Amino acid sequence: MMNTILFILLLPVAGVLVNLLFGWRRGEKFAGRVAAGVMALAFAASIAGFFQLLGLPAEERLIRSDLFEWIAVGDFRVNAAFMLDPLSSVMTLIITGVGALIHVYSIGYMHGDRGAVRYFIYLNLFVFFMLTLVLGSNFLVLFVGWEGVGLCSYLLIGFWFERPAASEAGKKAFIVNRIGDLCFLIAMFMLIGIFGTLDFGEILQAAPAKLVAGGGAVTVICLLLFAGAAGKSAQIPLFVWLPDAMEGPTPVSALIHAATMVTAGVYLMARAYFLFDLSPIAMNVVAVVGAATLLVAASIAMVQTDIKRVLAYSTVSQLGYMVMAIGVGAYSAAIFHLLTHSFFKALLFMGAGSVIHALDGEQDMNRMGGLSAALPSTSATCAIAAFAIAGVFPLAGFFSKDAILFAAMTSNRGGIGFWLAGAVGALMTAFYIFRMLFKTFYGRCNLSIEQQNRLHESPGVMTRPLKVLAVLSFAGGWVGIPIFAGANLLDGFLAPVFGGGGEAHHEVIFELMMMAVSFAIAVLGIYMAYNVFVLSSRGASAYAERWPGFYRLVFNKYYIDEAYDFLIIQPIRRLSVRLWKDFDDGLVDATVNGAGGFVRLIGSAARQLQTGYVKSYAVMMLAGALVVAFYLTAGAK
Amino acid sequence: MAPLEHYLIVSALLFAIGVVGVVVRRNAIVVVMSIELMLNAGNLAFVSFGRFLNSMDGQLIVFFVMGVAAAEAAIGLAILILIYRNRESTDVDSLNLLKL
Amino acid sequence: MAGLFLFYLMAVVTVAGAVGVVSLPNPLYSVLSLIAAFLGLAGLYLTLNAEFIAVVQVVIYAGAIMVLFLFVVMLLDLRREERIPLRLPVQKFTGALIGVGLFAVIMKVIFSGSLLTGAKGAFPAERVSEIGNTQVLGKILLTDYLLPFQAMGVLLFVGVIGAVVLARRRAD
């Protein structure tokens, strides 16, 4: 049997190589087709892998592929090993499936860009690293993918590097992520110290014996892992990079900063659930941070005017849901939301990209409006996505968000507070997403005449992926229908990974009540948005005027960037300047230059011997011969 | 027959004169000729020792030295011609390109 | 007695020629006196029963090689030499000093009285004369010294090519 894992992994690499070798000469059309083609094949391979797993008995659904021994130091061994289990299979399907759609979309979106070939190379490279991340069977291979996607994210955020804002945003993303990566590394070192291995399976086996439940070591490890995840998955306090990352091309935002890379942190924690299970304190921290993130980000999203920034904060907020789900122990609910979120958020981003494309780069929602007539496919698909993320029955977001809210309420780690945070977040989610929808596609048109004349629906290569994602956003949640035993397919599929048979079952009537409440919340949010942005003549400004201080605070994103600047960046800069002037110039450079000057002094004395005249060299040679002759004959009488 | 020492004295004289020529003279051709003198001083010593030690090896070595000298003369003079072509002079004191 | 006389005569010719090479200002005269010195050396070789070497000395050295020198001297027309003072005047002094020093060292070795301590070879002059100097040389050359002999051929071949390559005028 062919090695499916290798196939999945190496297809994007093949795309990178082909485009590196031939893409430059053959042009963007070729590069785009190759990139999208390998993604389609990788998706096919992922499906094959999925069915291979389904063919195995539930408890043995694990395909391993140990390629070679990578590191061997003393007793410590790390293999370049990969594995496909239900969790990584779900992730692989998301990455290659949504990824393939976004690649196709990119062909249209990047048409005419000078760097299109480079773009597709980066994109395929990103997919390779992302697959490495989710397929790695130990922490180190995962970390390779983790760093690789960070690199590709940096490259793609700063893709239009001529724009200072883009290259700054790339650097910001990289540096902020570095903080998390460092914590992740330290966590790995501690794991090596305790277990002597980084293999998931081996640590899973040994964890109960070697770690004290609720003990200090496991708590520190989990908190460090969470810090790493918080960097990647944009949680408080490390979420500041994600909104800036919107400087990259919009399909990149859809793929990396909505569907895949930012969910890596959630994946990491789900993968290491057996560690988190041992540490209630860490779990609590995770849940609280997730809840705080979802509220803060959702509130910021309500007042942003840049369409992509609304979506960026929305992503942060939705990631907060997933993290909170992890925190209350609802791992499969987190993965479920990850799955549905990747559908509707990618769709929203690509819809926004379609709008921006139609308006030649305009991103301010205040200058849009009434675009539904000109962009029928885009507006219709975006509306479906908006209903999905708002959590309207029976769309995808409803089921996944409901699963999280239900777990937040009923889990023994959850509580009414978490449920309340999620519910308020859901209300805000419905509000901000429909605010965006109304301001962009409906209402009065604020475009200039010139823009209106050039308005056009995007080409089919862009709208077709939107339609596919719209179907998924609509129906994608049906893999996780609760209540009826056996109907929650995803839960059942993931159960072997997370051990045990999922959450305990409750009264059907209770579940139905919960669902009704969350549905009501979604409708209420939509109605509020409708009320403010469609019915009211003055729009949101009335509310902004009523609470000016609060509005300003939220509008300026709680001044978090400014606080970082004041509290962290400036002191470090002052310290750096001090070190540079006093220590580096004064001590290090002085020493080095002094040594150099000394050598130069000796040299200038010694060079007097070197006249450059052949004759003087001959004289010295003969003089040397004379001395040697004297020395050799000294013994003679 | 003269004793070995006498031959060696002649050889030493030739060698010393050659050394002086190399150091003192500035015409590159004369310098090359002085080097030939030094080579021949060595040859004379070889043949003398060989004769007094009943060996033919001295003469054989001379044979080879002559071959080397011939090759060296050919190459050396070719280089001289090149230098002369470039500089209109064979004054070794004007050859100071070894110094930057 | 005649051999001794011949030695002194040839020694004087050789040394005088050598002095001429170094001291005569005109390179042409230097070449001619070097030929004289080589002829003297050939005579010295004769007194050492090295007839073949003596002939080679005359034919190859005094003949072929010195003709080469003469050609170059005349080709380059090098008569106007050494009007300009020495770049490094101390050279004359140091040159003389080194020459005298080396001579002194060699003298010291010669008169240390331990010259002929090596093992005697198989070819005393009488035996060589019986067989013939050239024949003995040729036999040894093409048996014991075959490889160096071949290498010498390669060396001369390379020398010829090198000389041609160097002295050739570039097409550009």
Side-chain angles (χ1 to χ4, degrees), chain A residues 610-615 619, chain B residues 22-23 25 92-93 95-96 99:
Chain A
Q610 301 283 332
T611 58
Y613 294 107
V614 182
K615 198 75 83 50
V619 169
Chain B
V22 167
V23 177
R25 290 301 292 260
V92 281
D93 275 6
L95 302 178
N96 62 349
K99 186 174 168 182

Side-chain angles (χ1 to χ4, degrees), chain B residues 33, chain C residues 31 34-35 38 60-71:
Chain B
M33 286 195 284
Chain C
V31 174
L34 187 57
I35 293 175
F38 283 167
I60 306 291
Y61 248 128
I65 296 183
M66 292 325 291
V67 167
L68 195 61
F69 273 91
L70 262 183
F71 259 121

Side-chain angles (χ1 to χ4, degrees), chain A residues 281-367:
Chain A
I281 301 171
M283 289 290 265
N284 241 324
V285 171
V286 172
V288 169
V289 170
T293 305
L294 86 87
L295 285 174
V296 167
S299 65
I300 298 174
M302 288 196 298
V303 294
Q304 292 297 308
T305 55
D306 183 314
I307 185 167
K308 283 183 73 181
R309 280 182 181 261
V310 172
L311 293 175
Y313 281 106
S314 161
T315 304
V316 176
S317 168
Q318 299 300 312
L319 289 167
Y321 273 106
M322 298 174 209
V323 170
M324 187 174 83
I326 297 275
V328 299
Y331 304 112
S332 70
I335 298 299
F336 184 24
H337 195 55
L338 192 162
L339 172 75
T340 58
H341 174 254
S342 75
F343 295 150
F344 53 67
K345 188 51 66 65
L347 173 52
L348 282 168
F349 264 115
M350 279 155 57
S354 178
V355 170
I356 296 166
H357 192 70
L359 300 180
D360 296 322
E362 182 62 64
Q363 298 193 6
D364 189 344
M365 290 193 298
N366 285 333
R367 302 213 198 99

